[in-house]
Amino acid sequence: MSRKATLASRTDDERVRGFSRRHRTRPRTGILVLHGFTATPLSVAAWAEEFHAAGFDVEVPLLPGHGTTVADCDRSTWADWLDTAQEALHRLDHDVVVVAGISLGGALALRLAQLHPDRVGGLVLANPAVGLERWKETAIAVSFHRSS
């Protein structure tokens, strides 16, 4: 039985494994860009490249378990993803750090802002994966049912 190739092994684009873009002269602001669940840094590369072209340094890590196999992703945890995001945040030694993320990356960005308010100066979020407390989910469902 042949093994399916992973995304990381099917492309020559180095950005799939995570990447950084730095300017010769360090700008005041750095931007951490975080990809979504089951994705890779390649999915947010356009954001990162645009931020860099606009004069910012960028850091785009590959979250553990992503870009390889479903089994690898299944073995990784929120704690693993948060640790990787925090390590990347600390690599951006700038006066101001903005964290941008999509989906899971957006949820991680929110958590980084909560944990490191002294380091995170701003957020750029697209569809952050956030949850409601159980009672709120029930209230919304009941309200929707009654109005239909």
Side-chain angles (χ1 to χ4, degrees), residues 18-135:
F19 62 98
S20 298
R21 296 286 184 265
R22 299 291 191 268
H23 292 276
R24 285 189 179 164
T25 305
R26 186 175 72 100
R28 183 171 178 263
T29 303
I31 303 181
L32 171 59
V33 184
L34 300 167
H35 65 79
F37 187 65
T38 74
T40 71
L42 198 54
S43 68
V44 291
W47 277 13
E49 300 295 359
E50 286 294 323
F51 290 143
H52 185 254
F56 303 104
D57 284 351
V58 295
E59 186 75 27
V60 189
L62 173 63
L63 298 174
H66 292 77
T68 56
T69 65
V70 173
D72 286 343
C73 197
D74 193 41
R75 283 189 290 272
S76 61
T77 66
W78 170 263
D80 297 329
W81 304 328
L82 184 59
D83 286 347
T84 297
Q86 289 183 106
E87 290 166 6
L89 175 66
H90 294 303
R91 285 193 296 273
L92 286 167
D93 186 25
H94 294 69
D95 296 338
V96 176
V97 176
V98 172
V99 184
I102 184 167
S103 186
L104 169 64
L108 288 166
L110 288 167
R111 185 65 175 141
L112 288 175
Q114 182 183 37
L115 293 173
H116 305 283
D118 56 318
R119 295 278 300 128
V120 178
L123 296 169
V124 177
L125 306 173
N127 305 323
V130 295
L132 298 173
E133 295 173 25
R134 192 72 187 142
W135 70 268

